[in-house]
Amino acid sequence: MTRLPSRAANTPPAAPPTPAPPTPAPPVPAAAPSSPGKVVAAAFIGTALEWYDFFLFGTTAAIVFAPLFFPGSDPVASTVSAFLSFSAAFIARPVGALIFGHVGDKYGRRGALVATVMIMGAASTLMGLLPTYETAGVVAPVLLTLLRAVQGVATGGEWGGATLMAIEYAPAKRRGLYAALVQLGSPVGTLLSTGAITLVALLPKDDFMAWGWRLPFIASIVLVAVALWLRWNVEETPEFQELKASDGTTKAPVVELFRQYKAKLAIGVCTYLVGNAGFFILTTFMISYVTRVLGLPSTVILTAMTIGAVAQMVMTVLAGRLADRFGAARVGIIGYSVFIALAFPIFWLVDSRDPGLIILAMVLAFGPCAITYAIIGALIDRLFPAQVKYTGMGLSANLSAVVAGFMPALATVFLTFSGNASWGPASLLVVIGLISLGGAIATSKVRAA
């Protein structure tokens, strides 16, 4: 009997089971954005310490660097040489704005700001370790001037980035205040540098000139380490992260800035002029005017400026709040108008030779006039789009700084022209104020980038 094939033999083999789709790996969580308060603290402290280092040179230029690095039979020539070394930073500042503007706009704000604080700290610490002319000859002043130029490069990359980081992290309705808080770095840096030199100047004069003056410079390495730690632990700004994710960065931010935004850059430079040029007339030139022309002790004007710096800090915060409420452009126009109106009264009060009235003059100079400095970050921020904003803000500040470097000398020319009457430099202040007022009005009419 023929055996029939079994049913199992006729059944096709079962298809292999379909493998289950792989379970997707959980997404790697993005780094949590830093809190706005932490960011503005990092921006402010870093800026304050950068200005501490920057102003420290100016504080010691005449009393230390002139005799130790630029000695000669003519003390006036030595002082002039020291101040020329001081001015090297102003020439280098736009270079820093270009370098770090490129880095900040192409690779990120945070990295650029970490670099600026490291470079500033290294340059200042090395200044405290330099040999003097007596030990190294002409090499000493050359190295000092080179390090001063390095300071200028670091400073040129600092303000635009620190202000931009604070603004880009700030809540929408508090951008004016956050930008103003970064500006507090300037008066705080002034107070720190002046206080440091005042403390070491308590040493016997021989000790101070031999080694005491070096201590505030060497201390920079400790202070900058704090700022570096703060900035290293801050995440990149959300605005730049979005720009990078959308491939919105540009290959050459500087080229694009000069090709498409030259007019806005010119407006930014004019708007910032009071914050730079006006400042050095009311400080560096004013010290010379009070001591040389009016014949008063330097302690009178230095005390007045210290009190004025405190008033500047208070007004800076107030102006930042007002900018959030009424708009940076409107507050800025009022601030520049106040600056122009007070130019002559400030000098009239100083001309009285009365210490109390001179204090009032510096409170008026650094207080209400701080309005213009407080709102400048929020005002210039509206001029440039994100892909060139670091470069645009940095160049606006630092091209005006080059002009400011010549202001004490130009104010002296105006003073000579007026026969040592204060209407000469006061007129220069008015001219500067009118230029910045025009810049602020032009900025108010520019549609925010």
Side-chain angles (χ1 to χ4, degrees):
M1 183 173 72
T2 306
R3 188 173 183 181
L4 296 174
S6 68
R7 184 177 179 182
N10 292 329
T11 303
T18 304
T23 304
V28 178
S34 303
S35 68
K38 179 181 178 181
V39 171
V40 80
F44 159 69
I45 292 174
T47 301
L49 295 179
E50 287 243 6
W51 283 120
Y52 162 81
D53 287 332
F54 191 78
F55 292 147
L56 196 59
F57 191 105
T59 306
T60 56
I63 58 176
V64 173
F65 294 145
L68 294 185
F69 288 82
F70 302 93
S73 57
D74 185 354
V76 175
S78 296
T79 302
V80 169
S81 297
F83 281 135
L84 286 175
S85 180
F86 170 78
S87 68
F90 290 92
I91 298 171
R93 282 175 64 171
V95 177
L98 289 171
I99 294 171
F100 292 106
H102 176 86
V103 174
D105 282 328
K106 188 172 182 179
Y107 302 106
R109 325 311 197 190
R110 173 178 170 271
L113 286 174
V114 168
T116 62
V117 79
M118 288 178 64
I119 292 171
M120 177 64 86
S124 300
T125 302
L126 288 173
M127 282 182 181
L129 301 174
L130 282 179
T132 62
Y133 187 92
E134 183 180 6
T135 304
V138 72
V139 173
V142 169
L143 290 176
L144 180 68
T145 304
L146 287 175
L147 289 175
R148 179 59 176 169
V150 171
Q151 280 190 327
V153 170
T155 303
E158 169 65 24
W159 177 82
T163 304
L164 188 54
M165 177 167 273
I167 288 174
E168 289 184 345
Y169 255 107
K173 295 184 178 180
R174 303 191 75 185
R175 287 192 160 200
L177 175 61
Y178 277 49
L181 291 176
V182 176
Q183 299 294 66
L184 286 175
S186 177
V188 169
T190 301
L191 293 173
L192 286 174
S193 61
T194 304
I197 292 298
T198 300
L199 284 176
V200 294
L202 297 175
L203 293 167
K205 185 175 180 179
D206 289 345
D207 290 339
F208 171 73
M209 295 300 290
W211 55 268
W213 67 269
R214 298 178 182 274
L215 298 181
F217 287 90
I218 297 174
S220 297
I221 195 169
V222 178
L223 300 175
V224 170
V226 176
L228 183 60
W229 179 81
L230 284 170
R231 289 186 173 179
W232 192 265
N233 286 283
V234 168
E235 297 300 325
E236 185 56 75
T237 68
E239 188 169 330
F240 183 81
Q241 289 186 36
E242 291 176 10
L243 186 71
K244 191 80 172 177
S246 63
D247 200 26
T249 58
T250 181
K251 186 177 296 185
V254 175
V255 174
E256 182 171 343
L257 177 71
F258 281 101
R259 186 172 59 225
Q260 298 191 41
Y261 304 100
K262 291 190 294 289
K264 290 185 176 182
L265 178 60
I267 292 172
V269 172
C270 290
T271 307
Y272 207 111
L273 197 59
V274 158
N276 272 322
F279 175 80
F280 284 103
I281 291 174
L282 292 170
T283 54
T284 305
F285 170 78
M286 189 66 80
I287 293 172
S288 173
Y289 177 72
V290 168
T291 56
R292 185 176 63 85
V293 178
L294 301 183
L296 296 175
S298 61
T299 52
V300 173
I301 186 62
L302 291 175
T303 300
M305 286 182 174
T306 301
I307 296 172
V310 175
Q312 179 185 0
M313 294 167 66
V314 174
M315 186 56 72
T316 296
V317 176
L318 177 59
R321 291 185 176 276
L322 292 174
D324 286 328
R325 183 170 182 179
F326 301 106
R330 185 177 300 175
V331 175
I333 290 170
I334 294 172
Y336 291 117
S337 300
V338 170
F339 179 89
I340 294 167
L342 289 177
F344 279 87
I346 287 170
F347 273 95
W348 292 339
L349 289 169
V350 171
D351 286 341
S352 71
R353 292 181 168 85
D354 181 273
L357 293 180
I358 293 175
I359 290 174
L360 176 59
M362 292 299 99
V363 169
L364 290 177
F366 293 176
C369 293
I371 298 170
T372 65
Y373 190 61
I375 54 83
I376 194 68
L379 194 57
I380 296 181
D381 171 71
R382 63 184 284 119
L383 290 175
F384 307 103
Q387 66 268 24
V388 297
K389 191 169 285 189
Y390 198 132
T391 308
M393 291 182 69
L395 281 176
S396 294
N398 292 291
L399 287 175
S400 70
V402 174
V403 178
F406 296 96
M407 280 300 113
L410 188 57
T412 302
V413 172
F414 272 62
L415 181 66
T416 303
F417 178 77
S418 64
N420 278 353
S422 63
W423 64 262
S427 299
L428 181 58
L429 276 183
V430 170
V431 171
I432 291 169
L434 289 171
I435 293 172
S436 285
L437 176 60
I441 293 171
T443 303
S444 71
K445 298 182 181 301
V446 172
R447 186 174 181 179

